[in-house]
């Protein structure tokens, strides 16, 4: 593994990694809040809302993300919804991940003792105040491990964007590997993925620790 | 003064409260006793607005009063739950300060001035920075009492205040309830402990199980 060769391909790997990181970041920014909203809708008293959202979750979790990506980019133009590659990828990723997060958050909400709502009600707090100050902080704490798993998955899932022609980390490695007939770029790609998941793991540990001040 | 008139409540066709009436005079302690399953908690939940009676009426100081609509800063009924329902994510101090700040809209300084004497009188000064999981049962109960009192309710209700406590602590909470009475607080105490009820209450009301 000559150092000059590594130096020569690293810039293209880094620019691929940058795409991976962007998709990772914006998917989380979109899918986490959306997941919270959907999870609240899944607990709605209004049954049509529950029905629609359950269908959405089923659809997103019941089909491969790869298929969803292809559908958004190649299928939706047939009904005159046209996305460029990058927004198409974000759209599919956010919708997909929000469904997984919604299920996790639904479990988190279900785990909160009903007494917490009643305790707040008899103090005169509104439902929104109760959610913000009492329920959500406890839900967030309880879902960190499960959300963490999905976050690590997302780092690797982001490589699926190759199917709609986006140049991410894995694709950059693939291109170099095929062109130069060597495995070196793929080894470097593996190392970069490991570093990215390592950063995520530490960030999640930190978050868990931050919330460990109470039980 | 709180009056309950002909309160009826059923769960799934099973009658729990049948034309239940009682009067809670100001600055007195009314104890509600009865065997397990008689409907004591159900009655308390109706008074607290957590359960809507099927029929019957409430009067507070002679005015019609709907506990379910008893909301916001004007809320009249305070509750100390059997398992306290403290907020685990908030420190003792924030448990007590939350409602004065969020509901009555006091500034932190105003709320603090009101809450600090309360914390001191309940012997909680040393634990204000701790979290509920770090407290003993008796301490948790006093936090729950302080949290309810911080909203200055017209009536403070307790569900089984002795159930989680050993005998010495039981005497202490009895004494605390009597102290609060001296401070002019009207209280309703649900318990299955007849002795305890007779020791603290001005009036003991018995709820009998209905055989449906
Ligand atoms: N939400 C509910 N749905 C259906 N039945 C209920 C509900 N809440 C209470 N009950 C029933 O009502 C009856 C009275 O219950 P309640 O909790 O008021 O009794 P209690 O006098 O407080 O008993 P204990 O001394 O054991 O606390 C019980 O038979 C109980 O099963
Ligand atoms: Mg009970």
């Amino acid at each position: 593994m000559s150092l000059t060769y590594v130096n020569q391909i690293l810039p293209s790997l880094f620019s691929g990694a940058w795409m991976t990181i962007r998709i990772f970041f914006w998917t989380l920014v979109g899918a986490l809040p959306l997941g919270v909203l959907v999870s609240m809708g899944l607990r709605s008293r209004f049954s049509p809302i529950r029905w629609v959202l359950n269908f959405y979750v089923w659809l997103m979790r019941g089909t491969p993300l790869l298929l969803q990506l292809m559908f958004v980019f190649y299928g939706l133009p047939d009904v005159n919804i046209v996305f460029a590659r990058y927004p198409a990828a974000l759209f599919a990723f956010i919708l997909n991940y929000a469904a997984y997060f919604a299920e996790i958050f639904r479990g988190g909400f279900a785990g909160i003792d009903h007494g917490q709502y009643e305790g707040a009600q008899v103090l005169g707090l509104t439902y929104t105040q109760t959610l913000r100050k009492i329920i959500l902080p406890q839900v967030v704490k309880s879902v960190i491990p499960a959300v963490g798993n999905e976050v690590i998955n997302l780092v690797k899932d982001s490589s699926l964007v190759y199917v709609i022609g986006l140049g991410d980390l894995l694709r950059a490695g693939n291109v170099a590997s095929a062109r130069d007939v060597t495995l070196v770029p793929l080894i470097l790609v593996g190392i970069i993925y490991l570093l990215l998941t390592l950063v995520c793991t530490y960030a999640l540990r930190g978050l868990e620790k931050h919330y460990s001040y109470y039980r | 003064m709180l009056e309950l008139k002909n309160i009826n409540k059923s769960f799934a066709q099973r009658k729990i409260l049948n034309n239940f009436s009682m009067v809670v005079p100001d600055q007195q302690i009314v104890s509600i006793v009865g065997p397990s399953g008689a409907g004591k908690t159900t009655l308390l939940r109706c008074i607290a607005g957590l359960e809507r009676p099927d029929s019957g009426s409430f009067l507070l100081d002679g005015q019609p009063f709907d506990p379910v609509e008893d909301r916001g800063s004007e809320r009249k009924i305070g509750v100390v739950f059997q398992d306290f329902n403290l907020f685990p994510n908030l420190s003792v101090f924030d448990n007590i300060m939350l409602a004065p700040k969020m509901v009555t809209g006091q500034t932190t300084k105003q709320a603090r001035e009101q809450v600090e004497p309360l914390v001191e009188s309940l012997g909680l000064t040393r634990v204000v920075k701790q979290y509920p999981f770090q407290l003993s049962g008796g301490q948790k109960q006093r936090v729950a009492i302080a949290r309810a009192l911080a909203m200055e309710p017209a009536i403070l209700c307790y569900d089984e205040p002795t159930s989680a406590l050993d005998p010495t602590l039981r005497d202490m909470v009895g004494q605390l309830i009597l102290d609060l009475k001296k401070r002019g607080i009207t209280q309703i105490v649900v318990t299955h402990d007849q002795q305890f009820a007779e020791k603290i209450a001005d009036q003991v009301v018995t709820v009998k199980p209905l055989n449906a």
Side-chain angles (χ1 to χ4, degrees):
Chain A
M1 197 190 291
S2 98
L3 217 55
T4 35
Y5 178 63
V6 170
N7 272 332
Q8 196 187 320
I9 60 166
L10 267 185
S12 68
L13 294 189
F14 282 154
S15 89
W18 180 236
M19 172 59 79
T20 297
I21 289 167
R22 281 196 320 181
I23 287 174
F24 171 82
F25 178 79
W26 290 112
T27 299
L28 286 186
V29 168
L32 283 170
L34 187 60
V36 173
L37 287 180
V38 172
S39 72
M40 282 157 65
L42 286 169
R43 294 162 54 75
S44 162
R45 252 175 262 164
F46 190 53
S47 63
I49 292 189
R50 284 201 313 271
W51 195 89
V52 168
L53 290 177
N54 272 314
F55 180 78
Y56 154 74
V57 170
W58 176 63
L59 198 68
M60 289 296 140
R61 301 204 309 170
T63 58
L65 177 52
L66 195 62
L67 181 67
Q68 293 163 21
L69 273 167
M70 288 157 54
F71 183 81
V72 168
F73 187 67
Y74 298 113
L76 287 186
D78 287 349
V79 291
N80 286 324
I81 304 173
V82 182
F83 282 109
R85 293 173 203 281
Y86 180 59
L90 287 186
F91 185 76
F93 268 82
I94 288 173
L95 281 186
N96 180 276
Y97 269 80
Y100 283 91
F101 289 145
E103 274 299 303
I104 292 171
F105 279 108
R106 194 179 56 83
F109 276 107
I112 303 290
D113 181 5
H114 192 66
Q116 293 286 302
Y117 294 91
E118 295 189 340
Q121 187 187 335
V122 300
L123 288 169
L125 271 80
T126 64
Y127 188 65
T128 321
Q129 289 171 332
T130 307
L131 276 186
R132 194 155 57 88
K133 290 288 181 180
I134 296 157
I135 307 301
L136 273 178
Q138 294 181 51
V139 169
V140 169
K141 177 184 166 84
S142 75
V143 301
I144 290 173
V147 167
N149 268 333
E150 293 303 323
V151 167
I152 301 286
N153 275 336
L154 175 58
V155 174
K156 296 169 288 173
D157 271 358
S158 63
S159 63
L160 295 175
V161 297
Y162 81 87
V163 79
I164 58 173
L166 278 175
D168 75 316
L169 174 57
L170 183 58
R171 186 182 159 100
N174 238 335
V175 168
S177 175
R179 182 190 59 215
D180 307 331
V181 201
T182 160
L183 280 179
V184 173
L186 295 183
I187 292 168
L188 292 175
V189 163
I191 292 171
I192 297 176
Y193 273 118
L194 281 172
L195 290 176
L196 290 177
T197 49
L198 193 67
V199 170
C200 290
T201 307
Y202 271 100
L204 287 160
R205 291 254 173 84
L207 205 58
E208 246 176 85
K209 213 165 152 214
H210 170 78
Y211 276 102
S212 67
Y213 66 89
Y214 74 90
R215 271 178 232 146
Chain B
M1 184 168 76
L2 177 71
E3 292 165 79
L4 278 67
K5 286 188 181 161
N6 300 322
I7 302 291
N8 287 284
K9 179 73 192 173
S10 303
F11 285 117
Q13 261 102 80
R14 202 160 68 84
K15 194 118 198 169
I16 307 297
L17 299 172
N18 186 30
N19 282 331
F20 183 89
S21 301
M22 72 169 185
V23 175
V24 184
D26 282 344
Q27 310 192 357
Q28 290 207 353
I29 299 170
V30 173
S31 200
I32 296 168
V33 298
S36 182
K40 305 181 295 294
T41 298
T42 305
L43 176 63
L44 194 85
R45 290 174 59 80
C46 288
I47 296 171
L50 296 169
E51 211 81 67
R52 193 186 279 283
D54 303 325
S55 66
S57 58
F58 296 86
L59 293 177
L60 188 65
D61 300 327
Q63 300 292 316
F65 170 68
D66 181 355
V68 178
E69 296 301 319
D70 186 22
R71 297 223 178 100
S73 59
E74 294 299 301
R75 191 170 159 95
K76 300 294 190 295
I77 309 292
V79 183
V80 177
F81 292 93
Q82 182 164 9
D83 40 17
F84 316 129
N85 294 343
L86 299 180
F87 307 130
N89 57 319
L90 300 179
S91 69
V92 165
F93 196 61
D94 290 338
N95 262 275
I96 303 170
M97 291 274 284
L98 181 69
K101 279 197 333 201
M102 307 274 307
V103 180
T104 46
Q106 298 182 69
T107 63
T108 305
K109 189 161 163 287
Q110 288 168 326
R112 185 184 286 271
E113 274 164 15
Q114 185 210 342
V115 159
E116 263 167 4
L118 194 59
V119 163
E120 206 182 300
S121 71
L122 288 166
L124 292 168
T125 313
R126 275 177 41 224
V127 298
V128 281
K129 291 214 178 81
Q130 296 191 1
Y131 285 83
F133 81 93
Q134 296 166 309
L135 303 181
S136 72
Q139 287 170 328
K140 281 184 195 162
Q141 184 173 56
R142 279 178 280 140
V143 174
I145 293 171
R147 188 177 72 172
L149 285 177
M151 290 304 283
E152 306 185 319
I155 296 173
L156 183 57
C157 304
Y158 305 75
D159 193 6
E160 305 280 2
T162 59
S163 67
L165 307 178
D166 64 33
T168 32
L169 279 171
R170 187 187 331 166
D171 293 342
M172 276 173 66
V173 66
Q175 194 52 53
L176 177 58
I177 291 171
L178 289 169
D179 288 346
L180 293 176
K181 178 190 167 185
K182 277 193 210 131
R183 286 200 242 159
I185 293 165
T186 311
Q187 299 168 92
I188 299 175
V189 183
V190 160
T191 176
H192 60 263
D193 184 340
Q194 184 84 32
Q195 262 185 326
F196 179 78
E198 274 159 19
K199 214 158 89 187
I200 58 163
D202 299 289
Q203 189 195 143
V204 177
V205 176
T206 306
V207 182
K208 293 190 196 73
L210 300 169
N211 302 312

